[in-house]
Amino acid sequence: MPQGDKDKYTDKQKRKAEHIEKSYERKGVSGKEAEARAWATVNKQSGGGNRSGGSGQKKSSQAKSADRSDSARQAAATRQSGSRSASLADQTKEQLMKKARAQNIRGRSTMRKQELISVLRRSN
């Protein structure tokens, strides 16, 4: 099977990829990039083509399911790790002041950097 051949995918997987691709295109992603992202999503969700010889790997459906669950768990942990809050600490005091000004936070001019971070975190 040549690289990029979609013969080993089920009709349902093909439809799913098509819907995902259209969604990306509506968001302004180029056609080629949208297609690549769509198939990457289908592969991540289902572990590759489901017809015989589909993914190129000899994995049982239980193993594929377990891998997907682990991947989803890791993604959720990454989202919950507070990366938005951590990004506040990486910003300069001037950048934090601009954010505080935009949110009309009182007393911002006398606050230290750590105080600004605390107030901005609470306001979100």
Side-chain angles (χ1 to χ4, degrees), residues 12 21 24 28 33 38 42 44 48 64 68 78 81-82 89 96 100 104-106 113 121 124:
K12 182 177 179 180
E21 182 179 349
Y24 276 121
E33 177 67 18
V42 169
K44 181 154 185 137
K64 286 183 182 182
R68 285 193 303 276
T78 301
S81 70
L96 296 171
N104 200 25
I105 294 174
R106 291 177 173 247
K113 181 176 178 178
R121 284 183 179 157
N124 286 336

Side-chain angles (χ1 to χ4, degrees), residues 75 77-91 121:
T78 301
R79 284 191 300 272
Q80 294 172 354
S81 70
S83 60
R84 272 182 61 197
S85 299
S87 67
L88 287 175
D90 294 337
Q91 295 181 18
R121 284 183 179 157

Side-chain angles (χ1 to χ4, degrees), residues 64-117:
K64 286 183 182 182
S65 178
D67 287 346
R68 285 193 303 276
S69 295
D70 290 343
S71 177
R73 207 172 295 113
Q74 285 178 341
T78 301
R79 284 191 300 272
Q80 294 172 354
S81 70
S83 60
R84 272 182 61 197
S85 299
S87 67
L88 287 175
D90 294 337
Q91 295 181 18
T92 65
K93 184 176 177 187
E94 289 75 28
Q95 290 170 323
L96 296 171
M97 287 291 277
K98 283 183 183 179
K99 286 183 182 235
R101 190 176 307 117
Q103 294 182 15
N104 200 25
I105 294 174
R106 291 177 173 247
R108 65 184 176 267
S109 62
T110 59
M111 291 183 188
R112 289 174 289 192
K113 181 176 178 178
Q114 193 57 47
E115 292 171 318
L116 284 168
I117 291 170

Side-chain angles (χ1 to χ4, degrees), residues 44-67:
K44 181 154 185 137
Q45 290 175 348
S46 63
N50 285 342
R51 291 190 183 157
S52 62
S55 67
Q57 296 180 6
K58 302 291 182 198
K59 280 190 178 181
S60 67
S61 60
Q62 288 96 356
K64 286 183 182 182
S65 178
D67 287 346

